[in-house]
Amino acid sequence: PGVVDAVPVSKPFKLVGREFHPEPTVVRVGDVDIGAGAFTVMAGPCSVESEAQLMETAEAVLAAGARMLRGGAFKPRTSPYSFRGLGEEGLKLLARARERYGLPVVTEVMNIEDVGLVSEYADMLQIGARNMQNYGLLEMAGRTGRPVLLKRGLSSTIEEWLLAAEYILSQGNNDVVLCERGIRTYETYTRFTLDISAVPLARELSHLPVVVDPSQATGRWSLVAPMAAAALAAEADGLIVEVHPHPEHALSDGAQSLTPKNFAAMMARLRTLAEPLGRRI
Amino acid sequence: PGVVDAVPVSKPFKLVGREFHPEPTVVRVGDVDIGAGAFTVMAGPCSVESEAQLMETAEAVLAAGARMLRGGAFKPRTSPYSFRGLGEEGLKLLARARERYGLPVVTEVMNIEDVGLVSEYADMLQIGARNMQNYGLLEMAGRTGRPVLLKRGLSSTIEEWLLAAEYILSQGNNDVVLCERGIRTYETYTRFTLDISAVPLARELSHLPVVVDPSQATGRWSLVAPMAAAALAAEADGLIVEVHPHPEHALSDGAQSLTPKNFAAMMARLRTLAEPLGRRI
Amino acid sequence: PGVVDAVPVSKPFKLVGREFHPEPTVVRVGDVDIGAGAFTVMAGPCSVESEAQLMETAEAVLAAGARMLRGGAFKPRTSPYSFRGLGEEGLKLLARARERYGLPVVTEVMNIEDVGLVSEYADMLQIGARNMQNYGLLEMAGRTGRPVLLKRGLSSTIEEWLLAAEYILSQGNNDVVLCERGIRTYETYTRFTLDISAVPLARELSHLPVVVDPSQATGRWSLVAPMAAAALAAEADGLIVEVHPHPEHALSDGAQSLTPKNFAAMMARLRTLAEPLGRRI
Amino acid sequence: PGVVDAVPVSKPFKLVGREFHPEPTVVRVGDVDIGAGAFTVMAGPCSVESEAQLMETAEAVLAAGARMLRGGAFKPRTSPYSFRGLGEEGLKLLARARERYGLPVVTEVMNIEDVGLVSEYADMLQIGARNMQNYGLLEMAGRTGRPVLLKRGLSSTIEEWLLAAEYILSQGNNDVVLCERGIRTYETYTRFTLDISAVPLARELSHLPVVVDPSQATGRWSLVAPMAAAALAAEADGLIVEVHPHPEHALSDGAQSLTPKNFAAMMARLRTLAEPLGRRI
């Protein structure tokens, strides 16, 4: 319509493409919708550390308006000597938090042989950035029928990310939510560079919902709220955010975790923005 | 306040730092303020091509709410055989547009020996990404006393960008506006990767205003409006945007230029967002 | 000794570090040594496609001086619709080629549950770039006791690469060979950017042998021979190279595969270089 | 000849292209040839600091086999508060060293208005990485007729680098030597990532000689010798190397400077490699 076609994009994907499925997909997790105009906030600690820590966090994020609980039980760590999560004990705590607070749970699964176990406890399976091209894991997650949160690989192109989703959809599972979580660049003041432009672009190319992880991306709690607002303004379908009652004692990622108080302040600001945009939180 | 200190940042800069100058700087260009709660939109063609093109664009962007006119007379081009701008003739057309529409003009200066000439016509000197570490040019721009728009180098760190501004301030010129315009990454679906997180981070570290160029960054007109909204939500002080009455005939950067109609639609959406944020456009 | 200490390197790894094990490790695969002054060349097709293709290639690379046979039976592919390898049938062909030509076999294993199967047929397990941080796979490979070729992730730091090796060594398996295969950058004329400096640096930090994959890295057959020579000159312990009798008909990676004739020419040139360096091929 | 065409390369350059000028260009600087089978080593301090420092270095590098003297009089520095070189006094010292030791001098020119001054003293003008797209400077250097050493920009593509050379050639000056000096990546153990594959690729695409700067690229003296050998093996036409008699007291870049003793050891090793390759040093 009177405009130049932008940089042409080859589209090697099929099932994830807008051409194949023109209507935006809405992914339902428990009683929560991702897509369809909602701005869905998932929040919780980086790692599940103890019952007290998890329950305190869940109560706080629910009160502030989060609709889902996040928390890692199996943690991919660069060093084999770092804290690697509580494993099944962590999954049980997440399930207990869901019972108590009614928040559906999203948690990472790292290995094919854990897919069954994690699916018993979790409402949504997270596939992390380092596993975005672990094709066996993608296909296994596809076969469970559970909703999947698929993080963009830390140096994956948008095309590779959509093709990773294609692996899941090709197994008959359409309930995939894409998650932009920052890409690796030369910049060192931030942990990664959050590629907000990936949000409208992925939504242009695909029918799948797209959420943003401003905590992992920036590595700095002071940047989480502004980047969350940017994600909403750029029409993301939601957020996944790290919250910890005592970031200074967190076993992982304290520097990027919000306190419950800062999380509540962020949610208030997001609500102010959501209304004129016709979005609900 | 109960939070972990984020990734520590060494701060080798002085005059540009918040420590040195805790109050945010407001840069005045003609009768326009950049900073101080305004969200200042500069718009116009990538290159000045003709009087008709420039006047049509200026009239349209003024009507839609732009406060300044942008347009290139000296164009840095990767190839010596590309269109390199109208030179002084382009500057004269910009000055004529200012007279007619009352919009202060920002335009790029590429060479030290052109600083005097460009300063005769322009209200604000733009230093482009490829010249961000052209130290002689930075110092000369500093000595003119003209306000300067300093684009981030296409693979510059935030630290290098602030130190480039330090070169200008060290000559006694505090009227510097930082401009994030996308950084070079491996992604090919966009021209560059717009680093929105640089906005709140630069504003945390420095007192200088920060604006965003969503046109150069994305290279795709369809991404300009969502990224402009993201910039506003992340508390940028304004935008610089490419608008062309006929992008399909533009001599440069047609794929990333908005039509006047699309520009007006973007401005309307930005106004909706600005109000609840307490910002004025 | 009269020199400045270079950029300080924090060393979060243990078992892979020079401090822990000052002598260079020699990894024995069948009757072939990697390390100890040898320059070990592994060659073969990207994918095993047929018995004829594999045998023709094996015969040619053996004649030209390769000491090990490479070939993919399980292929990680960006798209689920690309050719993904012959699977176990490919493994059987590799084993048959080993019998016929006496070349130990290295081939990729992508999934934890395939580790047992691949170990039945292969002399050395390859862990590909996309799986470098698939920690379950690393540990399982560590527990087999089979030698492992660990490719650097396509955007992994040297530190992350060494820590991935640490996962394998921590299971009691010291027979790990590191493989630099190019990192992802903004450059588009090459597929990846081969980081030759990673070779002397990894050998300075670690006792493990380091080999180079010039085929994957460059994506262009014309660059394979010069980069192989560069690897030898930079003191790599060997190469892994793609050779195909008919690159124009290859099911994967034809553009980067050498013909047998070009491979033989490369080997002749490498021998010329190896002698004055006191290396044997 | 029975091989697949590699990744297609668009070739927007003209005068620098092999198609335009099939024979390799030999650039003569004083009585030294760059190209034509020579492996030309330029060496000297990062910055000229004093007569004693420069003369001691020049004597040592000449004795070890260097054919040209490098040394910075005008230094581009990230911070305005760093040591920025001795300016014209540095140029005079370089000229004095040339008289005493007979080594042609290469030194950086940063600003258009210094081109005349630097040309009075230097045999070859260096255009640094940060100025690779300073088009006015490129054209001015082109008009002097002096040989030019053109460093690749720190995040420039090979295409952009060749087009920058095109700016110089388009002014009638064919005496351009390309210099690969490392590109910016996410890796932090090295200062930049030396892209050795750029050497054979630039020589395939262009008739201009290509040299390598292993000091700037790696930022670590221990990597300079292996990367110099890699450059020779990959058919580079020479090197530019930083040598300082007392790196621990250098005013800039001590960590990457070789001592005269280490430089001599490197040259001995390069000679061993050069002979079987039919190259002369």
Side-chain angles (χ1 to χ4, degrees):
Chain A
V3 292
V4 177
D5 221 16
V7 187
V9 168
S10 69
K11 293 175 183 163
F13 34 89
K14 299 181 190 168
L15 305 176
V16 305
R18 276 274 177 196
E19 283 80 359
F20 182 82
H21 188 298
E23 287 305 297
T25 287
V26 180
V27 173
R28 193 162 187 87
V29 185
D31 61 346
V32 174
D33 276 348
I34 306 176
F39 187 74
T40 306
V41 179
M42 318 174 197
C46 175
S47 301
V48 178
E49 297 170 3
S50 69
E51 177 152 10
Q53 171 242 25
L54 185 63
M55 297 302 161
E56 186 177 348
T57 308
E59 184 169 354
V61 301
L62 172 64
R67 301 295 311 274
M68 286 180 60
L69 180 64
R70 62 148 290 158
F74 295 99
K75 299 298 302 174
R77 299 305 297 267
T78 304
S79 165
Y81 310 121
S82 301
F83 173 64
R84 294 161 73 178
L86 297 180
E88 188 170 359
E89 178 55 27
L91 296 174
K92 287 180 179 168
L93 292 173
L94 286 165
R96 212 170 301 160
R98 172 181 49 209
E99 277 169 50
R100 197 175 304 172
Y101 299 105
L103 294 166
V105 162
V106 56
T107 196
E108 179 163 356
V109 57
M110 291 169 56
N111 288 318
I112 293 180
E113 73 259 40
D114 297 332
V115 171
L117 178 72
V118 177
S119 297
E120 274 180 50
Y121 295 98
D123 301 282
M124 184 179 215
L125 303 177
Q126 176 180 319
I127 295 194
R130 308 184 205 201
N131 276 314
M132 196 204 82
Q133 294 188 316
N134 182 336
Y135 301 117
L137 183 63
L138 295 173
E139 292 186 329
M140 182 68 88
R143 287 195 291 274
T144 64
R146 281 263 179 237
V148 176
L149 184 76
L150 178 64
K151 292 208 159 187
R152 182 179 180 185
L154 53 82
S155 70
S156 295
T157 62
I158 292 169
E159 185 170 308
E160 290 167 341
W161 187 28
L162 293 175
L163 283 167
E166 189 86 22
Y167 269 92
I168 303 172
L169 271 71
S170 71
Q171 300 299 312
N173 184 350
N174 295 318
D175 288 336
V176 174
V177 175
L178 301 167
C179 179
E180 161 62 33
R181 47 77 72 207
I183 59 173
R184 184 159 269 180
T185 68
Y186 62 84
E187 176 62 59
T188 55
Y189 274 13
T190 47
R191 190 166 169 192
F192 296 95
T193 296
L194 185 56
D195 179 8
I196 293 275
S197 68
V199 175
L201 193 44
R203 292 177 86 249
E204 199 177 307
L205 297 168
S206 172
H207 53 89
L208 299 173
V210 184
V211 301
V212 166
D213 181 340
S215 311
Q216 284 282 336
T218 62
R220 294 172 168 273
W221 69 266
S222 68
L223 300 179
V224 170
M227 297 315 285
L232 171 55
E235 301 188 50
D237 295 290
L239 294 178
I240 182 163
V241 180
E242 292 182 12
V243 177
H244 194 289
H246 308 287
E248 69 280 19
H249 298 127
L251 295 181
S252 56
D253 286 352
Q256 69 203 31
S257 293
L258 294 179
T259 57
K261 193 177 153 192
N262 284 335
F263 178 71
M266 178 188 87
M267 291 298 287
R269 187 157 181 275
L270 290 175
R271 266 187 290 265
T272 309
L273 267 175
E275 202 190 342
L277 293 170
R279 304 289 299 278
R280 57 181 194 283
I281 294 188
Chain B
V3 291
V4 178
D5 221 16
V7 187
V9 168
S10 68
K11 293 175 183 165
F13 34 88
K14 299 182 190 168
L15 305 177
V16 305
R18 275 275 177 196
E19 283 79 359
F20 183 82
H21 188 299
E23 287 306 298
T25 287
V26 180
V27 174
R28 195 164 186 84
V29 185
D31 61 346
V32 173
D33 277 347
I34 305 176
F39 187 74
T40 307
V41 179
M42 319 175 195
C46 174
S47 301
V48 178
E49 297 170 5
S50 70
E51 178 152 12
Q53 172 242 24
L54 185 63
M55 297 302 163
E56 185 177 348
T57 309
E59 185 169 354
V61 301
L62 173 64
R67 302 295 311 275
M68 287 180 59
L69 181 64
R70 62 148 291 159
F74 295 99
K75 299 298 302 174
R77 299 306 296 266
T78 303
S79 165
Y81 311 120
S82 300
F83 173 64
R84 292 162 74 178
L86 296 180
E88 188 169 2
E89 178 56 25
L91 296 174
K92 287 180 180 167
L93 292 173
L94 285 165
R96 211 169 303 159
R98 172 181 49 209
E99 278 168 50
R100 196 173 306 170
Y101 299 105
L103 293 166
V105 162
V106 56
T107 196
E108 178 162 356
V109 57
M110 289 169 57
N111 288 320
I112 293 179
E113 73 260 40
D114 298 332
V115 170
L117 177 72
V118 176
S119 297
E120 273 179 51
Y121 295 96
D123 301 282
M124 185 179 215
L125 304 177
Q126 176 180 318
I127 296 195
R130 306 182 207 204
N131 277 315
M132 195 204 83
Q133 294 189 315
N134 183 336
Y135 300 119
L137 183 63
L138 295 173
E139 292 186 329
M140 181 67 87
R143 286 195 292 273
T144 63
R146 279 264 180 236
V148 176
L149 183 75
L150 178 64
K151 292 210 159 186
R152 181 179 180 185
L154 53 82
S155 69
S156 295
T157 62
I158 292 170
E159 185 170 307
E160 290 166 343
W161 187 27
L162 294 175
L163 283 167
E166 188 86 22
Y167 269 92
I168 303 172
L169 270 71
S170 71
Q171 300 300 313
N173 183 350
N174 295 318
D175 288 337
V176 175
V177 174
L178 301 167
C179 179
E180 160 62 32
R181 46 77 72 209
I183 60 174
R184 183 159 270 182
T185 68
Y186 62 84
E187 177 61 60
T188 54
Y189 274 13
T190 48
R191 192 167 169 190
F192 296 95
T193 296
L194 185 56
D195 180 9
I196 293 275
S197 69
V199 175
L201 193 45
R203 293 178 84 250
E204 199 178 306
L205 297 168
S206 172
H207 53 89
L208 299 173
V210 184
V211 300
V212 167
D213 181 340
S215 310
Q216 284 283 336
T218 62
R220 293 171 168 273
W221 69 266
S222 69
L223 300 179
V224 170
M227 297 315 285
L232 170 55
E235 300 187 49
D237 295 290
L239 294 179
I240 181 163
V241 181
E242 293 182 13
V243 178
H244 194 289
H246 308 288
E248 68 279 19
H249 299 127
L251 295 181
S252 56
D253 285 353
Q256 70 202 30
S257 293
L258 293 180
T259 57
K261 192 177 152 192
N262 284 335
F263 178 71
M266 178 188 87
M267 292 297 288
R269 187 157 181 274
L270 291 174
R271 267 188 290 265
T272 309
L273 267 176
E275 201 190 342
L277 293 171
R279 305 288 298 278
R280 57 181 192 284
I281 295 189
Chain C
V3 292
V4 176
D5 221 17
V7 186
V9 167
S10 70
K11 293 175 185 166
F13 33 88
K14 299 181 190 169
L15 305 177
V16 305
R18 276 274 177 197
E19 283 80 358
F20 182 82
H21 188 299
E23 289 303 300
T25 287
V26 180
V27 174
R28 193 162 187 84
V29 186
D31 60 346
V32 173
D33 277 346
I34 305 176
F39 188 74
T40 306
V41 179
M42 317 175 197
C46 174
S47 301
V48 177
E49 297 170 4
S50 69
E51 178 153 11
Q53 172 243 23
L54 184 63
M55 297 303 161
E56 185 177 349
T57 310
E59 185 169 353
V61 301
L62 172 64
R67 301 295 312 275
M68 286 179 60
L69 180 65
R70 63 148 291 159
F74 294 100
K75 299 298 302 174
R77 299 305 297 267
T78 303
S79 165
Y81 310 120
S82 301
F83 172 63
R84 292 162 73 178
L86 297 181
E88 188 171 0
E89 178 57 25
L91 297 174
K92 287 180 181 168
L93 292 173
L94 286 165
R96 213 169 301 159
R98 172 181 48 209
E99 277 168 51
R100 196 173 306 170
Y101 299 105
L103 294 166
V105 162
V106 56
T107 196
E108 179 162 355
V109 57
M110 291 169 57
N111 288 318
I112 293 180
E113 72 260 39
D114 297 332
V115 170
L117 178 71
V118 177
S119 297
E120 274 179 51
Y121 296 96
D123 300 282
M124 184 179 214
L125 304 177
Q126 176 179 318
I127 295 193
R130 308 183 205 202
N131 276 315
M132 195 204 83
Q133 294 189 316
N134 182 337
Y135 300 118
L137 183 61
L138 295 173
E139 293 186 327
M140 182 66 88
R143 287 195 290 274
T144 63
R146 280 262 180 237
V148 176
L149 183 76
L150 179 64
K151 292 208 159 187
R152 182 178 179 186
L154 52 82
S155 69
S156 296
T157 62
I158 291 170
E159 184 170 308
E160 291 166 343
W161 186 29
L162 293 176
L163 283 167
E166 189 85 21
Y167 269 91
I168 303 172
L169 271 70
S170 71
Q171 300 300 311
N173 183 350
N174 295 320
D175 288 336
V176 175
V177 174
L178 300 167
C179 178
E180 160 63 32
R181 46 78 71 207
I183 60 174
R184 184 159 268 181
T185 69
Y186 62 85
E187 176 61 60
T188 55
Y189 275 12
T190 47
R191 191 166 169 192
F192 296 95
T193 296
L194 185 56
D195 179 9
I196 292 276
S197 69
V199 175
L201 193 44
R203 292 178 86 249
E204 197 177 306
L205 297 168
S206 172
H207 53 89
L208 298 173
V210 184
V211 301
V212 166
D213 181 340
S215 311
Q216 284 283 335
T218 62
R220 294 171 168 273
W221 68 266
S222 68
L223 300 179
V224 169
M227 297 315 285
L232 170 56
E235 300 187 49
D237 294 290
L239 295 178
I240 181 164
V241 180
E242 293 182 12
V243 177
H244 195 288
H246 308 288
E248 69 279 19
H249 298 127
L251 295 181
S252 56
D253 287 352
Q256 69 204 31
S257 293
L258 293 180
T259 57
K261 192 178 151 191
N262 284 335
F263 178 71
M266 178 188 88
M267 292 298 287
R269 187 157 181 273
L270 290 175
R271 267 188 289 266
T272 309
L273 266 176
E275 201 191 343
L277 293 170
R279 305 287 300 277
R280 58 181 193 284
I281 295 189
Chain D
V3 292
V4 178
D5 221 18
V7 186
V9 167
S10 69
K11 292 177 184 164
F13 34 88
K14 299 181 191 169
L15 305 177
V16 305
R18 276 273 177 197
E19 282 80 0
F20 183 82
H21 187 299
E23 286 306 297
T25 286
V26 180
V27 174
R28 193 164 187 84
V29 186
D31 61 346
V32 173
D33 277 347
I34 306 176
F39 188 74
T40 307
V41 179
M42 319 175 195
C46 174
S47 301
V48 177
E49 297 170 4
S50 70
E51 178 153 12
Q53 171 242 22
L54 185 63
M55 297 302 163
E56 185 177 349
T57 308
E59 184 169 354
V61 302
L62 172 64
R67 301 295 312 275
M68 288 180 59
L69 180 65
R70 61 148 291 160
F74 295 100
K75 298 298 302 174
R77 299 306 296 267
T78 304
S79 166
Y81 310 120
S82 300
F83 173 63
R84 292 162 73 178
L86 297 181
E88 188 170 1
E89 178 56 25
L91 296 175
K92 288 180 179 166
L93 291 174
L94 285 165
R96 210 169 303 158
R98 173 181 48 209
E99 279 169 51
R100 195 172 307 170
Y101 299 105
L103 294 165
V105 161
V106 56
T107 196
E108 179 162 355
V109 57
M110 290 169 58
N111 288 319
I112 293 179
E113 72 261 39
D114 297 333
V115 170
L117 178 72
V118 177
S119 297
E120 275 180 50
Y121 295 97
D123 301 283
M124 184 179 214
L125 304 176
Q126 176 179 318
I127 297 196
R130 306 183 207 204
N131 277 315
M132 195 204 81
Q133 295 189 316
N134 183 337
Y135 301 119
L137 182 62
L138 294 173
E139 292 186 328
M140 182 67 88
R143 287 195 291 274
T144 62
R146 279 262 179 236
V148 176
L149 183 76
L150 178 64
K151 292 209 159 186
R152 182 178 179 185
L154 53 82
S155 69
S156 296
T157 62
I158 291 169
E159 184 171 307
E160 289 167 342
W161 187 27
L162 293 176
L163 283 167
E166 189 86 22
Y167 269 92
I168 302 172
L169 271 70
S170 71
Q171 300 300 312
N173 183 351
N174 295 318
D175 288 336
V176 175
V177 174
L178 301 167
C179 180
E180 160 62 33
R181 47 77 71 209
I183 60 174
R184 184 159 269 181
T185 68
Y186 63 84
E187 177 61 59
T188 55
Y189 275 12
T190 47
R191 191 167 170 192
F192 295 95
T193 296
L194 185 56
D195 179 9
I196 293 274
S197 69
V199 175
L201 193 45
R203 293 177 84 250
E204 198 176 306
L205 297 169
S206 172
H207 53 88
L208 299 173
V210 184
V211 300
V212 167
D213 181 340
S215 310
Q216 284 283 336
T218 63
R220 292 171 170 274
W221 69 266
S222 68
L223 299 180
V224 170
M227 297 315 286
L232 170 55
E235 301 187 48
D237 294 290
L239 294 178
I240 180 163
V241 181
E242 293 182 12
V243 178
H244 195 288
H246 307 287
E248 69 279 19
H249 298 129
L251 294 182
S252 56
D253 286 352
Q256 69 203 32
S257 294
L258 293 180
T259 57
K261 192 177 152 193
N262 284 334
F263 178 72
M266 179 188 85
M267 291 299 286
R269 188 156 181 274
L270 290 174
R271 266 188 290 266
T272 308
L273 267 177
E275 201 189 342
L277 294 170
R279 304 288 300 278
R280 56 179 195 285
I281 295 190

